[in-house]
């Protein structure tokens, strides 16, 4: 069947062709005309020449569904209606269709063309879409196009990633190992350090994890030493590792074994989610984040309501200590309970787990320190509907057994978690968490928890160790010791770029005084234009021991990798509880930062700042380098005045990726799996960007290798893209790679530099090889009547000459010398 696609719609062409005869017919029939010469003809019959348009016509149309062409269909068209000749074939082409018979029943009949819903230059609103009870279409006759629409209830859900399981990595034994050094200290005290290493040795779905560290407080210890095997939806573990624990008592490290249903190997797995940690600082200070006495991070935060960076924290539920080093040398600690919740079980895919062993302690210079306390835990989680999930766990030791049950309520606007705990000894606990989804202007986060301990001891014994990280006695009880009440909340409302909020926290441990903090914050934009932003800011905070307030302006300018931030206002600080009088005065700060990214994706930033607070003045410098060899970050803070002091922090991190094909040192983002990208071949000076899922992740030259660290349990599409205009030949198809923890997959390309060769082809008798096709492995050309030709080729390519399907001869150039992409071959003997 042939399509006819005129430049104008057919009714327009036919109408123009028949316009003279229509007018003549109207005049011949005695149509009346006004004195001004207006002609009016009225008839209930089809005008002469238009009868063809009212008759059924057969044609071939393109069929689209969801904006994507799914095929072509033969149709019969009459004014206002369309009928498919083979509706079953059309239905079979509709993707993700759940009720094909219902849709086919509609498509088998005559359907409205809905031509009035066609979008055009004159109609761009309220067009191009329908909401049918079953199925409907829009027929654009001018473009021979049919757009199909099906009721959403008749279609299956479409997930971003296809279901099923990731393929098991291949390639034999591999290893990823990352090492980091953190230093933190001040001129008034000793330097604390922590050298940490994470090594994973993997083969397919099996691996050995080893996390160890050497610190100034604990010496050499081992955090994890566990063998794991993934088998589709199950994971088997044995060694020393962290059991899941409960929301209200945190995780516990055990030496034992376990099995759990896991979703990591599923291609459609969901991500875990962590709860935010807020910390108010009345002035810039160094904040250390510690867990179990070990330094996890140290950095300098500015004054105000800071949200602590938790992206580096591991998953689970456990206690943290936020240690704030203030300008006068005093140290205060605030405790937090951090939870990066395990994912809610998918609908119809319940999760089960069971673990058993003995609790593992943490003792100075003891890589392994088993206790005499037995431990067991078993549980399950189910998702009853898309918005309701429940879970239950039993956990205990030889001295106590506890049961926890809870659930999640998920909605587009909020997420609520509630749980309750009871033990054989009469211990009890309750938990309530709630938060908005962040899709609207209102944001709310709430965490309430209460534990009643009958003997005022931990419900599950805490890990013990001889000394703390910094060799100092703890200044407050560890989270989970005896009965406690904890509440934290934040509420905010955003209007445009403005924001007003309130944050608060409360903590009370058995036989200890309550700690609390509460205060509002306000941010209102005044000017935002051409890289300049001016805002009015205000915040206040009331704690058990002090009251602080600030009001002022904040100016931010950015341009070409440079930024400048200046603040000015008035602040007060009173009731500090240390005998010092209250004070208030004008305050301000100025900070500048420079950022640069090199061609190899090395990122460098340098910042300097000076600040005047209510109590002192300080200056700080910070810098960071993220390079293919690793990362370095440093902070330096200097206080001036009667209590002059200097605080500093430094962290360095690098890694190595090894497999049977080779190894590479370095890496910008040191995750648990990596690609080992290699480019072989003769292409001196050519550089390539490594694209992972079309995102540049590094730059590599021919003859080099590059490690690219990526997240585990994912499949990636990897390809090369030339970074310059150098003529090269290589396989530009994307390679599909799957990574598990510890997997190092080799991805290798062979490249050749190409050039254009020109010359004259002569046969064995000296006659020109005229009007022939010339072909190399990298190009195609033709010879003229004198045998002259030009064609793209690479070193070693053979030139093949043919005429039609008849091969004529071949030629091999010896040692071509291209300059600027061209090589003169002169006379080429073709044999």
């Amino acid at each position: 069947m042939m399509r006819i696609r005129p430049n104008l719609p057919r009714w327009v062409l036919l109408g123009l062709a028949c316009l003279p005869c229509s007018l003549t017919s109207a005049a011949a029939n005695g149509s009346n005309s006004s004195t001004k010469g207006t002609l009016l003809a009225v008839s209930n019959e089809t005008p002469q020449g238009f009868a063809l348009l009212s008759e059924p016509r057969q044609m071939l149309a393109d069929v689209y569904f969801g904006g994507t062409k799914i095929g072509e269909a033969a149709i019969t068209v009459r004014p206002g209606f369309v009928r498919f000749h083979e509706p079953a074939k059309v239905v079979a082409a509709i993707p993700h269709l759940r009720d094909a018979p219902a849709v086919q029943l509609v498509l088998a009949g005559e359907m409205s063309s809905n031509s009035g819903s066609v979008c055009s230059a004159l109609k761009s609103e309220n067009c191009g879409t329908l909401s049918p009870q079953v199925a409907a279409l829009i027929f654009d006759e001018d473009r021979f196009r049919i757009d199909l629409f099906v009721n959403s209830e008749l279609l299956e859900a479409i997930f971003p990633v296809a279901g099923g399981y990731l393929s098991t990595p291949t390639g034999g034994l591999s290893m990823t190992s990352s090492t980091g050094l953190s230093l933190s200290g001040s001129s008034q005290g000793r330097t604390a350090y922590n050298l940490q290493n994470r090594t994973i040795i993997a083969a397919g779905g099996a691996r050995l994890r080893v996390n160890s560290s050497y610190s100034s407080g604990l010496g050499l210890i081992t955090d994890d030493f566990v063998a794991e095997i993934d088998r589709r939806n199950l994971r088997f573990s044995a060694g020393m590792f962290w059991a899941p624990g409960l929301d209200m008592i945190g995780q516990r490290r055990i030496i034992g074994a376990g099995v759990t249903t896991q979703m990591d190997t599923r291609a459609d797995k969901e991500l875990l989610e962590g709860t935010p940690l807020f910390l108010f600082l009345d002035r810039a200070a160094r904040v250390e984040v510690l867990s179990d006495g070990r330094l996890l991070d140290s950095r300098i935060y500015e004054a105000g309501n800071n949200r602590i960076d938790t992206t580096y924290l591991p998953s689970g539920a456990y206690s943290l200590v936020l240690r704030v080093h203030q300008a006068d040398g005093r140290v205060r600690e605030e405790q937090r309970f951090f939870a990066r919740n395990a994912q809610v079980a998918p609908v119809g895919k319940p999760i089960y787990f069971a673990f058993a062993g003995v609790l593992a302690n943490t003792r100075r210079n003891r890589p392994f320190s088993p206790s005499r306390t037995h431990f067991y835990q078993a549980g399950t989680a189910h998702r009853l509907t898309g918005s309701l999930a429940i879970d239950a766990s039993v956990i205990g030791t030889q001295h106590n057994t506890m049961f926890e049950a809870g659930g999640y309520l998920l909605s587009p606007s909020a997420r609520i978690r509630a749980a309750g705990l009871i033990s054989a000894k009469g211990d009890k606990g309750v938990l309530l968490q709630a938060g908005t989804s962040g899709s609207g202007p209102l944001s709310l986060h709430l965490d309430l928890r209460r534990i009643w301990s009958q003997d005022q001891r931990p419900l599950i014994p805490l890990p013990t160790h001889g000394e703390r990280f910094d060799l100092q006695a703890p200044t407050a009880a560890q989270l989970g010791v005896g009965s406690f009440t904890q509440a934290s909340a934040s509420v905010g409302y955003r209007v445009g770029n403005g924001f007003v909020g309130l944050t608060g926290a409360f903590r009370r441990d058995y036989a200890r005084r309550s700690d609390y903090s509460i205060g509002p914050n306000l941010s209102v934009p005044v000017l935002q234009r051409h890289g300049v932003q001016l805002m009015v800011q205000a915040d206040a905070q009331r704690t058990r021991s002090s009251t602080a307030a600030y009001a002022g302006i904040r100016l931010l300018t950015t341009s070409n990798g440079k930024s400048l931030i200046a603040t000015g206002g008035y602040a007060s600080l009173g009731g500090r509880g240390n005998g010092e009088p209250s004070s208030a005065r004008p305050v301000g700060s100025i900070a500048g930062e420079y950022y640069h990214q090199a061609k190899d994706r090395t990122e460098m930033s340098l910042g300097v700042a000076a600040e005047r607070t209510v109590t002192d003045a300080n200056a700080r410098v910070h810098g960071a380098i993220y390079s293919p060899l690793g990362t370095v970050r440093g902070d330096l803070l200097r206080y001036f005045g009667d209590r002059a002091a200097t605080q500093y922090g430094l962290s360095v991190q690098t890694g190595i990726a090894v497999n049977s094909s080779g190894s590479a040192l370095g890496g910008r983002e040191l995750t648990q799996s990596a690609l080992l990208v290699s480019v072989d071949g003769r292409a001196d000076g050519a550089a390539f960007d490594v694209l992972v899922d079309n995102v540049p992740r590094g730059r590599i030259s021919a003859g080099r290798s590059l490690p690219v660290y990526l997240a585990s349990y994912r499949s990636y599409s990897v390809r090369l893209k030339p970074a310059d205009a150098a003529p090269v030949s290589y396989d530009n198809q994307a390679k599909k790679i799957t990574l598990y923890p510890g997997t190092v997959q080799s991805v290798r390309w062979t490249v050749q530099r190409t050039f254009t060769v020109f010359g004259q082809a002569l046969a064995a008798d000296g006659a020109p090889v005229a009007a022939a096709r010339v072909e190399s492995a990298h190009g195609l050309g033709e010879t003229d009547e004198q045998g002259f030709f030009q064609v793209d080729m690479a070193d070693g390519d053979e030139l093949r000459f043919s005429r039609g399907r008849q091969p004529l001869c071949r030629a091999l150039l010896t040692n071509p010398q291209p300059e600027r992409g061209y090589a003169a071959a002169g006379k080429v003997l073709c044999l």
Side-chain angles (χ1 to χ4, degrees):
M1 187 176 295
M2 180 179 297
R3 302 183 192 176
I4 302 175
R5 300 186 184 273
N7 293 327
L8 293 175
R10 282 169 292 178
W11 67 269
V12 174
L13 295 176
L14 290 174
L16 292 175
C18 294
L19 183 58
C21 59
S22 298
L23 296 176
T24 303
S25 176
N29 291 330
S31 299
N32 294 326
S33 61
S34 68
T35 58
K36 294 183 180 181
T38 302
L39 179 65
L40 176 64
V42 179
S43 174
N44 59 2
E45 298 180 357
T46 302
Q48 182 178 354
F50 283 82
L52 181 63
L53 296 180
S54 63
E55 296 178 358
R57 307 181 308 281
Q58 294 183 2
M59 64 179 64
L60 190 67
D62 296 326
V63 181
Y64 286 75
F65 182 80
T68 301
K69 183 178 177 180
I70 60 174
E72 299 176 342
I75 59 174
T76 296
V77 180
R78 69 181 181 90
F81 296 94
V82 173
R83 181 187 293 274
F84 289 101
H85 292 185
E86 297 178 295
K89 289 185 178 180
V90 177
V91 171
I94 300 175
H96 308 291
L97 191 59
R98 184 168 59 185
D99 192 347
V103 177
Q104 184 171 336
L105 182 63
V106 174
L107 266 62
E110 195 172 46
M111 304 178 66
S112 171
S113 64
N114 292 301
S115 300
S117 296
V118 175
C119 294
S120 65
L122 300 178
K123 184 178 183 181
S124 58
E125 297 182 357
N126 300 320
C127 64
T129 183
L130 298 174
S131 299
Q133 292 184 349
V134 178
L137 61 83
I138 296 176
F139 177 45
D140 186 347
E141 186 172 357
D142 296 337
R143 298 166 60 194
F144 292 84
R145 170 170 173 156
I146 290 177
D147 283 273
L148 283 176
F149 302 89
V150 177
N151 189 295
S152 60
E153 295 183 359
L154 304 179
L155 298 172
E156 296 177 348
I158 304 174
F159 296 94
V161 181
Y165 294 90
L166 299 172
S167 59
T168 303
T170 59
L173 201 65
S174 62
M175 180 187 77
T176 60
S177 181
S178 58
T179 301
L181 173 64
S182 297
L183 299 174
S184 179
S186 71
S187 59
Q188 297 180 343
R190 60 188 303 178
T191 299
Y193 63 85
N194 184 35
L195 179 65
Q196 189 168 10
N197 175 266
R198 181 191 65 213
T199 296
I200 305 177
I201 302 174
R207 60 194 159 273
L208 175 67
R209 295 178 181 265
V210 182
N211 288 337
S212 58
S213 65
Y214 188 88
S215 66
S216 54
L218 296 175
L220 178 63
I221 62 171
T222 301
D223 195 57
D224 293 311
F225 193 99
V226 56
E228 297 176 343
I229 299 177
D230 290 330
R231 288 290 182 266
R232 289 182 66 80
N233 66 327
L234 293 178
R235 175 172 300 139
F236 302 90
S237 305
M240 185 167 67
F241 58 95
W242 291 86
L246 300 178
D247 284 327
M248 283 173 276
I249 64 174
Q251 290 181 294
R252 291 298 185 268
R253 192 171 50 152
I254 69 171
I255 299 176
V259 60
T260 179
T261 308
Q262 52 82 25
M263 299 297 161
D264 289 333
T265 57
R266 288 193 61 87
D268 55 353
K269 64 181 180 292
E270 297 178 354
L271 300 177
L272 304 182
E273 189 175 32
T275 55
L277 300 179
F278 294 95
L279 178 66
F280 176 80
L281 298 174
D282 56 15
R283 50 187 166 173
R286 178 167 54 90
V287 179
E288 296 176 348
V289 181
L290 299 97
S291 176
D292 196 23
R294 286 171 296 158
L295 180 68
L296 298 180
D297 187 59
S298 174
R299 66 181 64 190
I300 295 171
Y301 288 87
E302 298 182 1
N305 290 312
N306 291 278
R307 179 169 178 171
I308 302 300
D309 184 2
T310 61
T311 57
Y312 54 88
L313 296 180
S315 300
Y318 48 91
S319 60
L320 290 176
V321 174
L322 306 182
R323 183 175 296 163
V324 181
H325 293 263
Q326 297 177 337
D328 55 9
R330 291 184 299 119
V331 177
R332 66 180 177 91
E333 293 183 351
E334 294 190 19
Q335 299 185 15
R336 296 287 192 272
F337 189 90
F338 177 77
R340 193 181 297 280
N341 294 329
Q343 63 185 30
V344 176
V347 175
K349 302 183 185 302
I351 294 176
Y352 301 95
F353 58 88
F355 299 90
V358 297
L359 293 178
N361 290 323
T362 302
R363 298 184 184 274
R364 181 178 175 85
N365 286 322
R366 292 281 297 273
F368 302 95
S369 181
S371 72
R372 296 182 180 180
T373 303
H374 299 163
F375 174 89
Y376 57 87
Q377 182 180 5
T380 183
H382 295 254
R383 193 164 185 172
L384 304 181
T385 66
S387 59
L388 181 62
I390 59 173
D391 54 82
S393 297
V394 59
I395 186 172
T397 68
Q398 69 265 42
H399 307 297
N400 196 8
T401 299
M402 286 157 286
F403 176 78
E404 182 187 87
Y408 289 90
L409 180 61
L410 310 173
S411 75
S413 59
R415 174 175 177 169
I416 300 175
R417 164 70 170 164
L421 176 145
I422 189 169
S423 78
K425 287 186 175 182
D427 306 312
K428 297 181 290 294
V430 292
L431 166 73
L432 175 64
Q433 295 174 324
T436 55
S437 64
S439 57
L442 178 67
S443 61
L444 172 67
H445 297 280
L446 176 68
D447 188 305
L448 302 174
R449 59 187 72 225
R450 175 76 166 101
I451 292 290
W452 292 271
S453 173
Q454 291 296 310
D455 56 7
Q456 299 307 325
R457 294 181 178 179
L459 304 187
I460 297 292
L462 290 163
T464 59
H465 53 79
E467 296 176 337
R468 288 180 60 82
F469 176 81
D470 54 1
L471 303 180
Q472 297 177 357
T475 58
Q478 278 190 290
L479 189 65
V481 176
S483 301
F484 73 90
T485 302
Q486 176 177 297
S488 62
S490 67
V491 60
Y493 194 83
R494 186 172 299 279
V495 180
N497 292 326
F499 180 82
V500 58
L502 178 69
T503 60
F506 175 83
R507 172 78 185 193
R508 181 172 185 178
D509 291 283
Y510 174 75
R512 294 182 180 272
R513 296 183 63 182
S514 301
D515 283 317
Y516 69 91
S517 65
I518 186 170
N521 59 87
L522 172 70
S523 177
V524 179
V526 177
L527 174 67
Q528 189 167 359
R529 185 181 302 172
H530 305 303
V532 178
Q533 181 186 71
L534 180 64
M535 303 191 74
V536 174
Q537 293 182 322
D539 56 58
Q541 196 77 5
R542 173 64 180 174
T543 69
R544 178 171 59 87
S545 59
S546 66
T547 301
Y550 168 79
I553 60 172
R554 178 178 183 268
L555 176 67
L556 169 65
T557 64
T558 59
S559 175
N560 298 325
K562 296 179 288 294
S563 63
L564 178 67
I565 302 175
T567 65
Y570 196 84
S572 65
L573 179 63
R576 284 175 278 175
N578 56 2
E580 296 184 4
S582 301
S583 59
R585 69 174 182 179
V587 298
S589 67
I590 185 169
E593 183 164 344
Y594 174 76
Y595 170 85
H596 174 72
Q597 180 171 345
K599 291 183 178 180
D600 64 352
R601 294 188 68 242
T602 294
E603 297 179 48
M604 296 169 285
S605 64
L606 176 65
V608 295
E611 180 182 28
R612 179 187 178 183
T613 69
V614 175
T615 58
D616 56 47
N618 65 77
R620 58 186 181 272
V621 179
H622 65 87
I625 299 177
Y626 299 88
S627 76
L629 296 178
T631 63
V632 180
R633 188 179 68 238
D635 294 284
L636 184 66
L637 177 62
R638 173 66 180 178
Y639 292 101
F640 303 98
D642 296 337
R643 299 177 179 178
T646 302
Q647 298 180 358
Y648 55 87
L650 175 68
S651 65
V652 181
Q653 191 174 42
T654 189
I656 186 172
V658 182
N659 65 8
S660 58
S661 301
S663 63
L665 177 68
R668 284 169 44 89
E669 301 89 6
L670 297 178
T671 52
Q672 298 182 9
S673 53
L675 301 177
L676 194 56
V677 182
S678 302
V679 176
D680 303 326
R682 299 179 61 183
D684 297 339
F688 301 86
D689 287 326
V690 180
L691 303 185
V692 179
D693 291 341
N694 291 321
V695 176
R697 300 301 295 266
R699 181 165 291 188
I700 187 172
S701 300
R704 304 292 297 273
S705 295
L706 175 71
V708 179
Y709 287 82
L710 299 168
S712 305
Y713 294 119
R714 283 193 58 186
S715 290
Y716 298 93
S717 175
V718 188
R719 65 185 181 92
L720 289 184
K721 177 183 177 182
D724 49 34
V728 291
S729 173
Y730 66 99
D731 180 8
N732 60 3
Q733 296 298 312
K735 301 177 185 292
K736 300 295 183 180
I737 301 295
T738 300
L739 299 178
Y740 279 22
T743 301
V744 180
Q745 289 279 36
S746 293
V747 190
R748 188 178 298 275
W749 279 270
T750 299
V751 301
Q752 286 183 294
R753 184 176 292 276
T754 60
F755 54 90
T756 301
V757 64
F758 55 93
Q760 183 183 26
L762 302 177
D765 59 1
V769 181
R773 173 190 178 105
V774 55
E775 183 178 0
S776 74
H778 298 88
L780 181 66
E782 292 182 348
T783 64
D784 62 11
E785 294 301 325
Q786 301 298 319
F788 290 100
F789 69 91
Q790 102 175 15
V791 67
D792 292 337
M793 63 172 292
D795 284 344
D797 282 2
E798 183 182 57
L799 301 182
R800 300 180 298 275
F801 295 81
S802 60
R803 188 175 293 119
R805 296 185 177 181
Q806 180 65 38
L808 297 178
C809 55
R810 302 187 178 204
L812 184 64
L813 302 185
T814 58
N815 194 26
Q817 299 293 328
E819 293 184 8
R820 297 183 180 181
Y822 291 91
K827 297 183 183 298
V828 177
L829 185 61
C830 187
L831 302 175

